[in-house]
Amino acid sequence: LFNYTRKKIMYNERVIKEFSNPQNVGEMKDANAVGTVGNATCGDIMKIFMKINDDGVIEDVSFQTFGCGAAIATSSVATSMIKGKTVDEALKITNQQVVDELGGLPAQKLHCSVLAEEAIKAAINDYLTNYKKQK
Ligand code: FES
């Protein structure tokens, strides 16, 4: 298989599974919530799209990233965790919960998990300020 120990970073099997076959990848043309954030540590970028209905429920969510494997794995899990949830519930999801769901990340990759949490918050903020107000 592949050598995932390059640069002495060891990912667990769940993380490898998620970034090898990530869920919810891609652009969403009819999104009413879009959040883009950059990671100050590495300069990578994450974009999250959501379709939020009138009841404030996230009906669909997807992501695009120029981030690393850990960013892809955490975004895959984070987007799956918030699908079907209300915006209030989604705002409470922390990067630590996502990391726990993944069974942990190497310490030097923890900063990558912050991207998904921040992009979710940015997308919901976009919805609340730009979309919901216009209705
Ligand atoms: Fe940039 Fe992981 S190294 S997101």
Side-chain angles (χ1 to χ4, degrees):
L1 269 170
F2 304 102
N3 178 11
Y4 290 105
T5 60
R6 194 165 61 96
K7 293 183 190 166
K8 293 196 176 106
I9 289 172
M10 292 286 290
Y11 289 119
N12 70 39
E13 279 182 19
R14 175 75 197 279
V15 177
I16 292 168
K17 183 176 157 248
E18 289 292 342
F19 80 63
S20 303
N21 189 19
Q23 305 159 76
N24 314 313
V25 176
E27 192 179 6
M28 194 187 294
K29 297 274 186 223
D30 55 346
N32 59 5
V34 181
T36 306
V37 294
N39 190 318
T41 308
C42 63
D44 288 336
I45 292 170
M46 172 75 61
K47 196 166 184 181
I48 292 227
F49 306 85
M50 296 179 189
K51 211 179 296 169
I52 301 172
N53 71 18
D54 291 343
D55 296 325
V57 174
I58 300 164
E59 289 188 334
D60 204 4
V61 53
S62 67
F63 74 93
Q64 288 181 317
T65 185
F66 291 107
C68 66
I72 293 168
T74 48
S75 303
S76 173
V77 167
T79 50
S80 297
M81 284 168 81
I82 63 167
K83 204 184 267 189
K85 296 262 186 344
T86 65
V87 292
D88 289 341
E89 289 167 336
L91 283 172
K92 288 188 194 131
I93 300 238
T94 65
N95 72 305
Q96 189 57 52
Q97 285 172 293
V98 176
V99 171
D100 290 346
E101 178 70 23
L102 276 169
L105 276 176
Q108 64 269 54
K109 303 303 282 181
L110 279 174
H111 71 91
C112 312
S113 67
V114 179
L115 269 180
E117 180 193 326
E118 288 185 345
I120 287 168
K121 290 191 162 84
I124 291 173
N125 191 43
D126 176 47
Y127 167 76
L128 294 175
T129 56
N130 297 320
Y131 179 79
K132 208 177 175 196
K133 223 192 266 178
Q134 294 165 12
K135 294 190 73 193

